[in-house]
Amino acid sequence: MDDLREKYLGQIGGAADESALEDIRIAAVGKKGEVALKMRELGKMTPEERQIAGPALNALKDEINSALAAKKAALADDALDARLADEWLDVSLPARPQRQGTLHPISQVTEEVTAIFAEMGFSVAEGPRIDTDWYNFDALNIPGHHPARAEMDTFYMHRAEGDNRPPHVLRTHTSPVQIRSMEATGAPTRIICPGGVYRADYDQTHTPMFHQVEGLAIDKDISMANLKWVLEEFVKSYFEVDGVDLRFRASHFPFTEPSAEVDIRCSWEGGTLKVGEGDDWLEILGSGMVHPKVLQAGGIDPEEWQGFAFGMGIDRIAMLKYGIPDLRAFFDSDLRWLRHYGFSALDMPTLHGGLSR
Ligand code: PHE
């Protein structure tokens, strides 16, 4: 028994980890371990012998078990100490400046636009970027043969033969969200919808994916005058100037009647844009009164309701406000560009606190 004690206590003391301990436990005090085998021998002993050997074997078993438990606890302590030493971290050190991310100008401008329109009672609606050609075209009074379909350089989704789901496109504008939000909330409604849109086009001012913000206001007595006021308020707030001159230019969109493109007065002295002064005009958006057929497609009675809509390029107004010359750089993920044109992630644009600071 002394040999057994010495052997197993020695092994336990030298065990390197929990699985080694478990092997020792099975060999020593397991059901078929050495101590159990010894216990079986008790039956062959005389009662006198048994009275000595029995308690001694039980004591040995207890001793081995408590040595195992003590070693297990010690191993766990060691492991914790090693982790604590390894994962030590000085939380009082300053953050490394090169790790600070920035907010992309598109995110910043989207926040600015949202803050401005929120103040005027517009909520934010969203729609899918992959939409049916019905939402993207037909419901907006652009029938199949209409030249606007070709003009928009539409990306059509591939369709397998025999697929009879409606054809899908990458939305070419945010206008399909007009229909979706009419369906969802009915009239009256006041929403903007910022988001990505797609057209097959690529040069300094065009990328195959870009961003628009749609506006839609429907009520009983909405007119072009309301549209003009809302846009004036928007442009003043967005460009952070006291006064602006807006010019409505007659235009054509299938989904608005009448339609107007909106220009703002500006100057380009020395290559920098100044909004609100000068003799140049800058086109910033398309707009008009929602076409009765479009209201109908959205499930709204045009005899009872009317409204205005507009669509504006987010990337475009970002380039104008922040003097960014090439649209393609927006989507290059160049860290130097992001550091230069990016915004602090913690400054939320608000009208009272300042939009861009
Ligand atoms: N969807 C139009 C475009 O992408 C913009 C627009 C929206 C015009 C709403 C009028 C009304 O060019």
Side-chain angles (χ1 to χ4, degrees):
M1 261 188 239
D2 285 341
D3 290 348
L4 279 184
R5 171 183 295 109
E6 210 170 300
K7 171 172 156 195
Y8 285 115
L9 293 186
Q11 285 186 5
I12 290 168
D17 54 32
E18 260 193 58
S19 87
L21 268 187
E22 180 62 7
D23 290 344
I24 298 167
R25 189 190 66 79
I26 292 168
V29 294
K31 267 192 200 140
K32 292 176 185 161
E34 272 196 280
V35 176
L37 294 179
K38 283 270 178 263
M39 287 200 172
R40 269 180 229 167
E41 289 171 20
L42 290 174
K44 293 180 225 148
M45 296 179 187
T46 66
E48 292 76 22
E49 284 173 327
R50 204 181 300 145
Q51 243 170 22
I52 300 170
L57 271 174
N58 273 326
L60 175 61
K61 190 176 170 186
D62 288 348
E63 195 177 350
I64 291 177
N65 271 328
S66 47
L68 282 165
K71 181 67 180 181
K72 191 170 168 183
L75 283 174
D77 282 352
D78 289 350
L80 183 60
D81 285 345
R83 253 188 85 188
L84 286 173
D86 197 42
E87 296 175 12
W88 183 84
L89 172 79
D90 184 351
V91 292
S92 67
L93 283 175
R96 288 186 210 145
Q98 66 267 35
R99 290 266 182 96
Q100 277 170 3
T102 59
L103 214 56
H104 195 283
I106 292 183
S107 304
Q108 168 74 19
V109 167
T110 302
E111 295 292 346
E112 292 182 20
V113 170
T114 305
I116 298 168
F117 281 106
E119 205 88 353
M120 294 192 270
F122 287 75
S123 51
V124 173
E126 280 182 313
R129 293 189 183 205
I130 301 173
D131 214 339
T132 62
D133 64 353
W134 188 82
Y135 278 105
N136 196 79
F137 294 123
D138 302 75
L140 292 164
N141 194 30
I142 313 174
H145 58 267
H146 199 283
R149 291 210 185 194
E151 275 163 27
M152 287 215 182
D153 304 305
T154 311
F155 287 113
Y156 286 88
M157 300 298 288
H158 173 73
R159 290 177 91 199
E161 209 167 315
D163 184 348
N164 45 30
R165 286 174 300 177
H168 281 69
V169 300
L170 296 184
R171 71 178 179 196
T172 57
H173 49 183
T174 42
S175 300
V177 184
Q178 286 189 34
I179 306 294
R180 289 184 173 276
S181 64
M182 285 183 215
E183 286 177 340
T185 64
T189 190
R190 226 185 287 178
I191 55 116
I192 58 164
C193 166
V197 300
Y198 301 82
R199 293 180 200 177
D201 210 349
Y202 189 70
D203 61 35
Q204 194 177 345
T205 53
H206 297 90
T207 49
M209 191 274 310
F210 58 105
H211 300 82
Q212 289 188 331
V213 56
E214 194 80 8
L216 175 70
I218 297 177
D219 215 319
K220 298 248 163 169
D221 52 5
I222 289 214
S223 71
M224 291 288 274
N226 300 123
L227 170 65
K228 190 166 190 213
W229 182 84
V230 164
L231 292 178
E232 269 169 4
E233 286 302 303
F234 168 74
V235 173
K236 270 194 290 189
S237 300
Y238 177 72
F239 286 103
E240 299 175 61
V241 293
D242 292 332
V244 282
D245 236 350
L246 286 197
R247 179 170 83 175
F248 276 55
R249 226 174 344 98
S251 181
H252 175 77
F253 300 102
F255 31 93
T256 46
E257 182 57 40
S259 303
E261 276 169 301
V262 173
D263 303 336
I264 52 178
R265 184 185 289 282
C266 69
S267 73
W268 280 107
E269 254 165 64
T272 47
L273 172 76
K274 283 222 182 84
V275 169
E277 55 175 65
D279 297 321
D280 281 329
W281 292 92
L282 197 72
E283 183 196 320
I284 57 158
L285 60 90
S287 65
M289 298 302 292
V290 181
H291 196 290
K293 284 191 182 169
V294 174
L295 290 170
Q296 241 155 14
I300 288 177
D301 182 2
E303 300 290 334
E304 204 181 334
W305 304 95
Q306 55 193 317
F308 66 71
F310 59 86
M312 182 164 53
I314 291 183
D315 324 65
R316 180 167 164 76
I317 62 169
M319 291 168 79
L320 293 173
K321 181 168 178 180
Y322 294 112
I324 304 170
D326 193 325
L327 177 63
R328 291 169 295 198
F330 275 76
F331 310 112
D332 282 345
S333 304
D334 181 332
L335 283 177
R336 289 163 307 172
W337 186 92
L338 288 168
R339 263 177 226 128
H340 183 79
Y341 287 110
F343 292 81
S344 160
L346 298 175
D347 281 340
M348 284 299 275
T350 59
L351 290 189
H352 54 274
L355 287 178
S356 58
R357 263 175 256 215

PDB file of all heavy atoms in Angstrom, residues 22-54:
ATOM      1  N   GLU A  22      -6.770  12.706 -15.283  1.00  0.00           N
ATOM      2  CA  GLU A  22      -7.875  11.768 -15.470  1.00  0.00           C
ATOM      3  C   GLU A  22      -7.351  10.351 -15.719  1.00  0.00           C
ATOM      4  O   GLU A  22      -7.891   9.382 -15.164  1.00  0.00           O
ATOM      5  CB  GLU A  22      -8.759  12.257 -16.631  1.00  0.00           C
ATOM      6  CG  GLU A  22      -9.962  11.378 -16.959  1.00  0.00           C
ATOM      7  CD  GLU A  22     -10.978  11.262 -15.819  1.00  0.00           C
ATOM      8  OE1 GLU A  22     -10.829  11.970 -14.805  1.00  0.00           O
ATOM      9  OE2 GLU A  22     -11.920  10.445 -15.940  1.00  0.00           O
ATOM     10  N   ASP A  23      -6.294  10.252 -16.509  1.00  0.00           N
ATOM     11  CA  ASP A  23      -5.689   8.924 -16.745  1.00  0.00           C
ATOM     12  C   ASP A  23      -5.220   8.313 -15.425  1.00  0.00           C
ATOM     13  O   ASP A  23      -5.410   7.118 -15.165  1.00  0.00           O
ATOM     14  CB  ASP A  23      -4.499   9.050 -17.713  1.00  0.00           C
ATOM     15  CG  ASP A  23      -4.965   9.394 -19.118  1.00  0.00           C
ATOM     16  OD1 ASP A  23      -6.190   9.225 -19.392  1.00  0.00           O
ATOM     17  OD2 ASP A  23      -4.133   9.855 -19.930  1.00  0.00           O
ATOM     18  N   ILE A  24      -4.596   9.148 -14.583  1.00  0.00           N
ATOM     19  CA  ILE A  24      -4.099   8.652 -13.294  1.00  0.00           C
ATOM     20  C   ILE A  24      -5.279   8.204 -12.421  1.00  0.00           C
ATOM     21  O   ILE A  24      -5.236   7.158 -11.761  1.00  0.00           O
ATOM     22  CB  ILE A  24      -3.284   9.738 -12.572  1.00  0.00           C
ATOM     23  CG1 ILE A  24      -2.049  10.120 -13.422  1.00  0.00           C
ATOM     24  CG2 ILE A  24      -2.856   9.259 -11.189  1.00  0.00           C
ATOM     25  CD1 ILE A  24      -1.358  11.382 -12.947  1.00  0.00           C
ATOM     26  N   ARG A  25      -6.347   9.021 -12.443  1.00  0.00           N
ATOM     27  CA  ARG A  25      -7.516   8.674 -11.623  1.00  0.00           C
ATOM     28  C   ARG A  25      -8.054   7.295 -12.005  1.00  0.00           C
ATOM     29  O   ARG A  25      -8.320   6.447 -11.143  1.00  0.00           O
ATOM     30  CB  ARG A  25      -8.620   9.719 -11.799  1.00  0.00           C
ATOM     31  CG  ARG A  25      -9.775   9.556 -10.809  1.00  0.00           C
ATOM     32  CD  ARG A  25     -10.948  10.439 -11.141  1.00  0.00           C
ATOM     33  NE  ARG A  25     -11.593  10.065 -12.394  1.00  0.00           N
ATOM     34  CZ  ARG A  25     -12.446   9.049 -12.529  1.00  0.00           C
ATOM     35  NH1 ARG A  25     -12.734   8.283 -11.490  1.00  0.00           N
ATOM     36  NH2 ARG A  25     -12.966   8.763 -13.706  1.00  0.00           N
ATOM     37  N   ILE A  26      -8.184   7.062 -13.313  1.00  0.00           N
ATOM     38  CA  ILE A  26      -8.734   5.779 -13.757  1.00  0.00           C
ATOM     39  C   ILE A  26      -7.823   4.621 -13.342  1.00  0.00           C
ATOM     40  O   ILE A  26      -8.281   3.596 -12.823  1.00  0.00           O
ATOM     41  CB  ILE A  26      -8.943   5.803 -15.289  1.00  0.00           C
ATOM     42  CG1 ILE A  26     -10.078   6.789 -15.609  1.00  0.00           C
ATOM     43  CG2 ILE A  26      -9.266   4.412 -15.826  1.00  0.00           C
ATOM     44  CD1 ILE A  26     -10.207   7.137 -17.062  1.00  0.00           C
ATOM     45  N   ALA A  27      -6.512   4.818 -13.523  1.00  0.00           N
ATOM     46  CA  ALA A  27      -5.568   3.749 -13.187  1.00  0.00           C
ATOM     47  C   ALA A  27      -5.532   3.464 -11.680  1.00  0.00           C
ATOM     48  O   ALA A  27      -5.365   2.325 -11.248  1.00  0.00           O
ATOM     49  CB  ALA A  27      -4.161   4.125 -13.685  1.00  0.00           C
ATOM     50  N   ALA A  28      -5.740   4.502 -10.858  1.00  0.00           N
ATOM     51  CA  ALA A  28      -5.600   4.325  -9.409  1.00  0.00           C
ATOM     52  C   ALA A  28      -6.913   3.957  -8.744  1.00  0.00           C
ATOM     53  O   ALA A  28      -7.046   2.863  -8.185  1.00  0.00           O
ATOM     54  CB  ALA A  28      -5.031   5.605  -8.795  1.00  0.00           C
ATOM     55  N   VAL A  29      -7.915   4.860  -8.864  1.00  0.00           N
ATOM     56  CA  VAL A  29      -9.143   4.666  -8.090  1.00  0.00           C
ATOM     57  C   VAL A  29     -10.366   4.425  -8.961  1.00  0.00           C
ATOM     58  O   VAL A  29     -11.491   4.468  -8.475  1.00  0.00           O
ATOM     59  CB  VAL A  29      -9.389   5.861  -7.130  1.00  0.00           C
ATOM     60  CG1 VAL A  29      -8.301   5.915  -6.063  1.00  0.00           C
ATOM     61  CG2 VAL A  29      -9.434   7.186  -7.914  1.00  0.00           C
ATOM     62  N   GLY A  30     -10.146   4.197 -10.262  1.00  0.00           N
ATOM     63  CA  GLY A  30     -11.265   3.863 -11.144  1.00  0.00           C
ATOM     64  C   GLY A  30     -11.828   2.491 -10.776  1.00  0.00           C
ATOM     65  O   GLY A  30     -11.268   1.773  -9.933  1.00  0.00           O
ATOM     66  N   LYS A  31     -12.956   2.141 -11.489  1.00  0.00           N
ATOM     67  CA  LYS A  31     -13.616   0.861 -11.161  1.00  0.00           C
ATOM     68  C   LYS A  31     -12.693  -0.331 -11.290  1.00  0.00           C
ATOM     69  O   LYS A  31     -12.799  -1.306 -10.546  1.00  0.00           O
ATOM     70  CB  LYS A  31     -14.804   0.652 -12.104  1.00  0.00           C
ATOM     71  CG  LYS A  31     -16.095   1.187 -11.498  1.00  0.00           C
ATOM     72  CD  LYS A  31     -17.277   0.703 -12.315  1.00  0.00           C
ATOM     73  CE  LYS A  31     -18.486   1.598 -12.041  1.00  0.00           C
ATOM     74  NZ  LYS A  31     -19.258   1.892 -13.250  1.00  0.00           N
ATOM     75  N   LYS A  32     -11.790  -0.252 -12.303  1.00  0.00           N
ATOM     76  CA  LYS A  32     -10.866  -1.368 -12.467  1.00  0.00           C
ATOM     77  C   LYS A  32      -9.444  -0.956 -12.131  1.00  0.00           C
ATOM     78  O   LYS A  32      -8.474  -1.568 -12.579  1.00  0.00           O
ATOM     79  CB  LYS A  32     -10.916  -1.879 -13.915  1.00  0.00           C
ATOM     80  CG  LYS A  32     -12.257  -2.531 -14.221  1.00  0.00           C
ATOM     81  CD  LYS A  32     -12.324  -2.952 -15.677  1.00  0.00           C
ATOM     82  CE  LYS A  32     -13.704  -3.482 -15.996  1.00  0.00           C
ATOM     83  NZ  LYS A  32     -13.980  -3.486 -17.437  1.00  0.00           N
ATOM     84  N   GLY A  33      -9.335   0.111 -11.324  1.00  0.00           N
ATOM     85  CA  GLY A  33      -8.021   0.613 -10.955  1.00  0.00           C
ATOM     86  C   GLY A  33      -7.346  -0.277  -9.905  1.00  0.00           C
ATOM     87  O   GLY A  33      -7.956  -1.202  -9.368  1.00  0.00           O
ATOM     88  N   GLU A  34      -6.090   0.079  -9.651  1.00  0.00           N
ATOM     89  CA  GLU A  34      -5.290  -0.772  -8.756  1.00  0.00           C
ATOM     90  C   GLU A  34      -5.870  -0.869  -7.350  1.00  0.00           C
ATOM     91  O   GLU A  34      -5.852  -1.928  -6.733  1.00  0.00           O
ATOM     92  CB  GLU A  34      -3.849  -0.250  -8.689  1.00  0.00           C
ATOM     93  CG  GLU A  34      -2.986  -0.845  -9.792  1.00  0.00           C
ATOM     94  CD  GLU A  34      -1.507  -0.642  -9.499  1.00  0.00           C
ATOM     95  OE1 GLU A  34      -1.016   0.483  -9.765  1.00  0.00           O
ATOM     96  OE2 GLU A  34      -0.860  -1.591  -8.987  1.00  0.00           O
ATOM     97  N   VAL A  35      -6.438   0.249  -6.839  1.00  0.00           N
ATOM     98  CA  VAL A  35      -7.002   0.220  -5.482  1.00  0.00           C
ATOM     99  C   VAL A  35      -8.216  -0.702  -5.440  1.00  0.00           C
ATOM    100  O   VAL A  35      -8.383  -1.496  -4.507  1.00  0.00           O
ATOM    101  CB  VAL A  35      -7.336   1.634  -4.998  1.00  0.00           C
ATOM    102  CG1 VAL A  35      -8.024   1.589  -3.629  1.00  0.00           C
ATOM    103  CG2 VAL A  35      -6.055   2.481  -4.911  1.00  0.00           C
ATOM    104  N   ALA A  36      -9.039  -0.655  -6.501  1.00  0.00           N
ATOM    105  CA  ALA A  36     -10.226  -1.519  -6.550  1.00  0.00           C
ATOM    106  C   ALA A  36      -9.812  -2.987  -6.576  1.00  0.00           C
ATOM    107  O   ALA A  36     -10.421  -3.845  -5.916  1.00  0.00           O
ATOM    108  CB  ALA A  36     -11.069  -1.168  -7.769  1.00  0.00           C
ATOM    109  N   LEU A  37      -8.753  -3.271  -7.363  1.00  0.00           N
ATOM    110  CA  LEU A  37      -8.285  -4.660  -7.425  1.00  0.00           C
ATOM    111  C   LEU A  37      -7.858  -5.158  -6.036  1.00  0.00           C
ATOM    112  O   LEU A  37      -8.157  -6.267  -5.631  1.00  0.00           O
ATOM    113  CB  LEU A  37      -7.123  -4.800  -8.417  1.00  0.00           C
ATOM    114  CG  LEU A  37      -7.486  -4.553  -9.888  1.00  0.00           C
ATOM    115  CD1 LEU A  37      -6.249  -4.694 -10.782  1.00  0.00           C
ATOM    116  CD2 LEU A  37      -8.574  -5.535 -10.340  1.00  0.00           C
ATOM    117  N   LYS A  38      -7.165  -4.250  -5.342  1.00  0.00           N
ATOM    118  CA  LYS A  38      -6.728  -4.615  -3.990  1.00  0.00           C
ATOM    119  C   LYS A  38      -7.928  -4.889  -3.088  1.00  0.00           C
ATOM    120  O   LYS A  38      -7.927  -5.810  -2.264  1.00  0.00           O
ATOM    121  CB  LYS A  38      -5.899  -3.481  -3.370  1.00  0.00           C
ATOM    122  CG  LYS A  38      -4.483  -3.401  -3.901  1.00  0.00           C
ATOM    123  CD  LYS A  38      -3.541  -4.260  -3.074  1.00  0.00           C
ATOM    124  CE  LYS A  38      -2.116  -4.247  -3.620  1.00  0.00           C
ATOM    125  NZ  LYS A  38      -1.831  -5.415  -4.466  1.00  0.00           N
ATOM    126  N   MET A  39      -8.990  -4.055  -3.303  1.00  0.00           N
ATOM    127  CA  MET A  39     -10.168  -4.238  -2.457  1.00  0.00           C
ATOM    128  C   MET A  39     -10.805  -5.596  -2.677  1.00  0.00           C
ATOM    129  O   MET A  39     -11.361  -6.193  -1.753  1.00  0.00           O
ATOM    130  CB  MET A  39     -11.185  -3.127  -2.711  1.00  0.00           C
ATOM    131  CG  MET A  39     -10.714  -1.798  -2.121  1.00  0.00           C
ATOM    132  SD  MET A  39     -12.055  -0.683  -1.909  1.00  0.00           S
ATOM    133  CE  MET A  39     -11.297   0.648  -1.018  1.00  0.00           C
ATOM    134  N   ARG A  40     -10.726  -6.052  -3.941  1.00  0.00           N
ATOM    135  CA  ARG A  40     -11.295  -7.385  -4.204  1.00  0.00           C
ATOM    136  C   ARG A  40     -10.579  -8.478  -3.416  1.00  0.00           C
ATOM    137  O   ARG A  40     -11.165  -9.494  -3.063  1.00  0.00           O
ATOM    138  CB  ARG A  40     -11.203  -7.706  -5.704  1.00  0.00           C
ATOM    139  CG  ARG A  40     -12.476  -7.257  -6.413  1.00  0.00           C
ATOM    140  CD  ARG A  40     -12.389  -7.556  -7.870  1.00  0.00           C
ATOM    141  NE  ARG A  40     -12.778  -6.341  -8.588  1.00  0.00           N
ATOM    142  CZ  ARG A  40     -12.593  -6.159  -9.867  1.00  0.00           C
ATOM    143  NH1 ARG A  40     -11.990  -7.109 -10.579  1.00  0.00           N
ATOM    144  NH2 ARG A  40     -12.995  -5.065 -10.416  1.00  0.00           N
ATOM    145  N   GLU A  41      -9.284  -8.241  -3.167  1.00  0.00           N
ATOM    146  CA  GLU A  41      -8.527  -9.252  -2.425  1.00  0.00           C
ATOM    147  C   GLU A  41      -8.968  -9.390  -0.971  1.00  0.00           C
ATOM    148  O   GLU A  41      -8.623 -10.367  -0.296  1.00  0.00           O
ATOM    149  CB  GLU A  41      -7.026  -8.929  -2.473  1.00  0.00           C
ATOM    150  CG  GLU A  41      -6.424  -9.166  -3.854  1.00  0.00           C
ATOM    151  CD  GLU A  41      -4.995  -8.635  -3.956  1.00  0.00           C
ATOM    152  OE1 GLU A  41      -4.349  -8.441  -2.893  1.00  0.00           O
ATOM    153  OE2 GLU A  41      -4.544  -8.393  -5.093  1.00  0.00           O
ATOM    154  N   LEU A  42      -9.713  -8.368  -0.480  1.00  0.00           N
ATOM    155  CA  LEU A  42     -10.149  -8.402   0.925  1.00  0.00           C
ATOM    156  C   LEU A  42     -10.918  -9.693   1.246  1.00  0.00           C
ATOM    157  O   LEU A  42     -10.838 -10.232   2.352  1.00  0.00           O
ATOM    158  CB  LEU A  42     -11.041  -7.192   1.257  1.00  0.00           C
ATOM    159  CG  LEU A  42     -10.353  -5.821   1.295  1.00  0.00           C
ATOM    160  CD1 LEU A  42     -11.403  -4.730   1.476  1.00  0.00           C
ATOM    161  CD2 LEU A  42      -9.324  -5.754   2.407  1.00  0.00           C
ATOM    162  N   GLY A  43     -11.686 -10.180   0.199  1.00  0.00           N
ATOM    163  CA  GLY A  43     -12.527 -11.360   0.425  1.00  0.00           C
ATOM    164  C   GLY A  43     -11.744 -12.609   0.804  1.00  0.00           C
ATOM    165  O   GLY A  43     -12.252 -13.503   1.490  1.00  0.00           O
ATOM    166  N   LYS A  44     -10.458 -12.635   0.341  1.00  0.00           N
ATOM    167  CA  LYS A  44      -9.666 -13.840   0.594  1.00  0.00           C
ATOM    168  C   LYS A  44      -8.953 -13.778   1.945  1.00  0.00           C
ATOM    169  O   LYS A  44      -8.261 -14.708   2.349  1.00  0.00           O
ATOM    170  CB  LYS A  44      -8.599 -14.000  -0.510  1.00  0.00           C
ATOM    171  CG  LYS A  44      -9.204 -14.296  -1.879  1.00  0.00           C
ATOM    172  CD  LYS A  44      -8.082 -14.429  -2.919  1.00  0.00           C
ATOM    173  CE  LYS A  44      -8.427 -13.666  -4.183  1.00  0.00           C
ATOM    174  NZ  LYS A  44      -7.255 -13.122  -4.842  1.00  0.00           N
ATOM    175  N   MET A  45      -9.086 -12.623   2.632  1.00  0.00           N
ATOM    176  CA  MET A  45      -8.330 -12.460   3.873  1.00  0.00           C
ATOM    177  C   MET A  45      -9.078 -13.010   5.077  1.00  0.00           C
ATOM    178  O   MET A  45     -10.281 -13.206   5.030  1.00  0.00           O
ATOM    179  CB  MET A  45      -8.044 -10.973   4.126  1.00  0.00           C
ATOM    180  CG  MET A  45      -7.156 -10.329   3.083  1.00  0.00           C
ATOM    181  SD  MET A  45      -6.930  -8.588   3.475  1.00  0.00           S
ATOM    182  CE  MET A  45      -6.064  -8.070   2.017  1.00  0.00           C
ATOM    183  N   THR A  46      -8.361 -13.184   6.117  1.00  0.00           N
ATOM    184  CA  THR A  46      -9.003 -13.556   7.394  1.00  0.00           C
ATOM    185  C   THR A  46      -9.665 -12.315   7.944  1.00  0.00           C
ATOM    186  O   THR A  46      -9.258 -11.196   7.608  1.00  0.00           O
ATOM    187  CB  THR A  46      -7.947 -14.044   8.411  1.00  0.00           C
ATOM    188  OG1 THR A  46      -7.110 -12.926   8.730  1.00  0.00           O
ATOM    189  CG2 THR A  46      -7.124 -15.187   7.871  1.00  0.00           C
ATOM    190  N   PRO A  47     -10.702 -12.504   8.783  1.00  0.00           N
ATOM    191  CA  PRO A  47     -11.389 -11.340   9.352  1.00  0.00           C
ATOM    192  C   PRO A  47     -10.428 -10.393  10.038  1.00  0.00           C
ATOM    193  O   PRO A  47     -10.592  -9.173   9.941  1.00  0.00           O
ATOM    194  CB  PRO A  47     -12.361 -11.952  10.358  1.00  0.00           C
ATOM    195  CG  PRO A  47     -12.585 -13.346   9.886  1.00  0.00           C
ATOM    196  CD  PRO A  47     -11.322 -13.778   9.205  1.00  0.00           C
ATOM    197  N   GLU A  48      -9.410 -10.892  10.714  1.00  0.00           N
ATOM    198  CA  GLU A  48      -8.477 -10.008  11.420  1.00  0.00           C
ATOM    199  C   GLU A  48      -7.695  -9.144  10.433  1.00  0.00           C
ATOM    200  O   GLU A  48      -7.537  -7.933  10.627  1.00  0.00           O
ATOM    201  CB  GLU A  48      -7.475 -10.823  12.277  1.00  0.00           C
ATOM    202  CG  GLU A  48      -8.090 -11.533  13.459  1.00  0.00           C
ATOM    203  CD  GLU A  48      -8.882 -12.792  13.066  1.00  0.00           C
ATOM    204  OE1 GLU A  48      -8.625 -13.350  11.971  1.00  0.00           O
ATOM    205  OE2 GLU A  48      -9.792 -13.189  13.830  1.00  0.00           O
ATOM    206  N   GLU A  49      -7.224  -9.858   9.372  1.00  0.00           N
ATOM    207  CA  GLU A  49      -6.466  -9.116   8.356  1.00  0.00           C
ATOM    208  C   GLU A  49      -7.348  -8.032   7.722  1.00  0.00           C
ATOM    209  O   GLU A  49      -6.924  -6.903   7.486  1.00  0.00           O
ATOM    210  CB  GLU A  49      -5.991 -10.071   7.249  1.00  0.00           C
ATOM    211  CG  GLU A  49      -4.812 -10.925   7.663  1.00  0.00           C
ATOM    212  CD  GLU A  49      -4.474 -11.983   6.612  1.00  0.00           C
ATOM    213  OE1 GLU A  49      -5.416 -12.482   5.925  1.00  0.00           O
ATOM    214  OE2 GLU A  49      -3.286 -12.286   6.470  1.00  0.00           O
ATOM    215  N   ARG A  50      -8.609  -8.460   7.441  1.00  0.00           N
ATOM    216  CA  ARG A  50      -9.511  -7.558   6.740  1.00  0.00           C
ATOM    217  C   ARG A  50      -9.761  -6.278   7.553  1.00  0.00           C
ATOM    218  O   ARG A  50      -9.880  -5.201   7.008  1.00  0.00           O
ATOM    219  CB  ARG A  50     -10.838  -8.286   6.511  1.00  0.00           C
ATOM    220  CG  ARG A  50     -11.606  -7.736   5.346  1.00  0.00           C
ATOM    221  CD  ARG A  50     -12.921  -8.490   5.179  1.00  0.00           C
ATOM    222  NE  ARG A  50     -12.690  -9.908   4.943  1.00  0.00           N
ATOM    223  CZ  ARG A  50     -13.470 -10.889   5.385  1.00  0.00           C
ATOM    224  NH1 ARG A  50     -14.554 -10.616   6.093  1.00  0.00           N
ATOM    225  NH2 ARG A  50     -13.190 -12.153   5.138  1.00  0.00           N
ATOM    226  N   GLN A  51      -9.792  -6.464   8.904  1.00  0.00           N
ATOM    227  CA  GLN A  51     -10.085  -5.312   9.740  1.00  0.00           C
ATOM    228  C   GLN A  51      -9.000  -4.241   9.687  1.00  0.00           C
ATOM    229  O   GLN A  51      -9.258  -3.068   9.896  1.00  0.00           O
ATOM    230  CB  GLN A  51     -10.268  -5.753  11.196  1.00  0.00           C
ATOM    231  CG  GLN A  51     -11.664  -5.444  11.614  1.00  0.00           C
ATOM    232  CD  GLN A  51     -12.002  -6.055  12.953  1.00  0.00           C
ATOM    233  OE1 GLN A  51     -11.109  -6.373  13.763  1.00  0.00           O
ATOM    234  NE2 GLN A  51     -13.278  -6.224  13.196  1.00  0.00           N
ATOM    235  N   ILE A  52      -7.847  -4.654   9.356  1.00  0.00           N
ATOM    236  CA  ILE A  52      -6.754  -3.688   9.204  1.00  0.00           C
ATOM    237  C   ILE A  52      -6.679  -3.160   7.770  1.00  0.00           C
ATOM    238  O   ILE A  52      -6.593  -1.958   7.523  1.00  0.00           O
ATOM    239  CB  ILE A  52      -5.405  -4.332   9.584  1.00  0.00           C
ATOM    240  CG1 ILE A  52      -5.476  -4.787  11.053  1.00  0.00           C
ATOM    241  CG2 ILE A  52      -4.260  -3.334   9.381  1.00  0.00           C
ATOM    242  CD1 ILE A  52      -4.320  -5.640  11.498  1.00  0.00           C
ATOM    243  N   ALA A  53      -6.747  -4.149   6.811  1.00  0.00           N
ATOM    244  CA  ALA A  53      -6.541  -3.764   5.406  1.00  0.00           C
ATOM    245  C   ALA A  53      -7.685  -2.923   4.862  1.00  0.00           C
ATOM    246  O   ALA A  53      -7.467  -1.990   4.077  1.00  0.00           O
ATOM    247  CB  ALA A  53      -6.350  -5.010   4.541  1.00  0.00           C
ATOM    248  N   GLY A  54      -8.943  -3.253   5.250  1.00  0.00           N
ATOM    249  CA  GLY A  54     -10.105  -2.520   4.703  1.00  0.00           C
ATOM    250  C   GLY A  54     -10.018  -1.024   4.937  1.00  0.00           C
ATOM    251  O   GLY A  54      -9.987  -0.246   3.978  1.00  0.00           O
TER     252      GLY A  54
END
